[in-house]
Amino acid sequence: MARATLIGFSAVAMWALLALLTDTSGAVPPFLLSAITFTIGTCVGLFARLFMPAADGAAKIPRQVWVIGIAGLFGYHFFYFTALRNAPAVEASLIAYLWPLLIVLGSALMPGERLAWNHVAGALLGLAGTVLIVTKGGGLAFDARYAFGYAMAGVCAVLWSSYSLLSRRFPSVPTSIVTWFCAATAALSLVCHLLLEETVLPNGAGQWLAVLGLGLMPVGAAFYAWDIGVKRGNIQVLGAASYAAPLLSTLVLIAAGFAEPSWRILAACVLITGGAALAAKSLFLRKRATSEANA
């Protein structure tokens, strides 16, 4: 379980590159960028199949798995882009980033799972740290004019948390199925692009490399790693630790010279790291007890 949890957290680390690579990719419209990067993400899955044990071709994938996977990957991005078009980015992003908290709380409904106080407290500390990062230490101003955009951001949070929790109900479904979720998301994103956007391609090698990086990691390998984490790892710990993504993203932007360090970054570090450690307390204690028993 600990190994799968770490693999799942590697997805969070890769998502930390999302802001930097997206900013570097130029003025490519969102759905076109999604179509290109998820196509690359599909290729990541096809390549990984060369090194993974072959899935049982006779095993039938339940129909609801396809619905859950495509709704999770494509649905999240569709509603997130819609939210950003209809509400201020700060408030929309914060609402959308309620999904780790929803994962922690929703895990109590999963078979064999038990929600403890430290999981909830850890997730809330992570949320507090995320508020500092997203708001940049300023206040929030929820305006009724943007109610539709806020609602779309809320749908994002519900979709991704539901995808993560429901995926856990199908541990026997191989992670390779994510390849086809990425392919479907790429195709649907292309349709949305053709209907809603003007085509603007990356300009120059630097922007194309940024798009390639997006497809290989945050919009590629990250989804395969996340699938392993939510199916076989400690989902409460993984949910609480997911609040590290905006913090790590900010640290990456600082290292790249796109942002300046400040007191709120330090405070967010303390809150998010402390929250993740608190949520993982039971996992650490279990591992220690196992080590002592084997000694």
Side-chain angles (χ1 to χ4, degrees):
M1 179 179 285
R3 180 173 178 270
T5 303
L6 288 173
I7 292 174
F9 185 74
S10 72
V12 178
M14 284 185 274
W15 287 330
L17 299 172
L18 191 62
L20 176 63
L21 292 174
T22 300
D23 186 71
T24 311
S25 65
V28 183
F31 283 115
L32 177 57
L33 185 62
S34 178
I36 297 173
T37 53
F38 272 102
T39 298
I40 299 171
T42 302
C43 294
V44 170
L46 293 174
F47 181 75
R49 283 167 175 256
L50 300 175
F51 303 95
M52 293 191 300
D56 184 2
K60 186 177 181 180
I61 304 298
R63 185 178 302 175
Q64 57 264 44
V65 169
W66 293 102
V67 175
I68 291 167
I70 296 172
L73 268 66
F74 173 73
Y76 175 85
H77 290 84
F78 177 86
F79 286 105
Y80 184 68
F81 297 151
T82 303
L84 292 183
R85 283 193 173 98
N86 292 276
V90 170
E91 287 79 6
S93 297
L94 189 58
I95 293 171
Y97 222 82
L98 289 173
W99 63 262
L101 181 60
L102 293 179
I103 286 177
V104 173
L105 297 177
S107 66
L109 304 175
M110 305 299 290
E113 300 291 348
R114 185 176 64 86
L115 185 63
W117 70 268
N118 58 297
H119 297 134
V120 178
L124 290 174
L125 286 174
L127 177 60
T130 299
V131 170
L132 280 179
I133 294 292
V134 174
T135 64
K136 300 180 180 179
L140 291 171
F142 291 103
D143 192 322
R145 291 179 299 168
Y146 304 118
F148 177 73
Y150 299 151
M152 295 299 96
V155 172
C156 288
V158 172
L159 273 177
W160 190 253
S161 58
S162 298
Y163 164 74
S164 301
L165 290 167
L166 292 174
S167 293
R168 193 172 181 84
R169 289 183 174 272
F170 300 94
S172 62
V173 174
T175 293
S176 58
I177 194 67
V178 176
T179 305
W180 309 120
F181 298 161
C182 289
T185 301
L188 292 170
S189 296
L190 180 59
V191 172
C192 288
H193 164 67
L194 295 175
L195 293 175
L196 303 171
E197 299 173 334
E198 293 185 6
T199 300
V200 178
L201 293 173
N203 183 19
Q207 292 185 8
W208 275 111
L209 284 174
V211 171
L212 178 62
L214 280 169
L216 291 175
M217 290 184 288
V219 191
F223 291 115
Y224 301 92
W226 185 252
D227 186 77
I228 294 171
V230 296
K231 284 180 178 175
R232 302 180 181 86
N234 186 312
I235 198 163
Q236 291 100 346
V237 173
L238 195 54
S242 295
Y243 276 116
L247 171 62
L248 294 174
S249 179
T250 303
L251 294 177
V252 168
L253 290 172
I254 290 173
F258 284 78
E260 294 292 331
S262 67
W263 67 267
R264 65 181 174 81
I265 303 299
L266 177 60
C269 281
V270 173
L271 287 169
I272 293 174
T273 304
L278 182 61
K281 178 175 73 71
S282 55
L283 185 63
F284 295 147
L285 292 177
R286 189 184 305 123
K287 186 175 181 181
R288 179 181 176 183
T290 302
S291 299
E292 290 177 351
N294 293 333

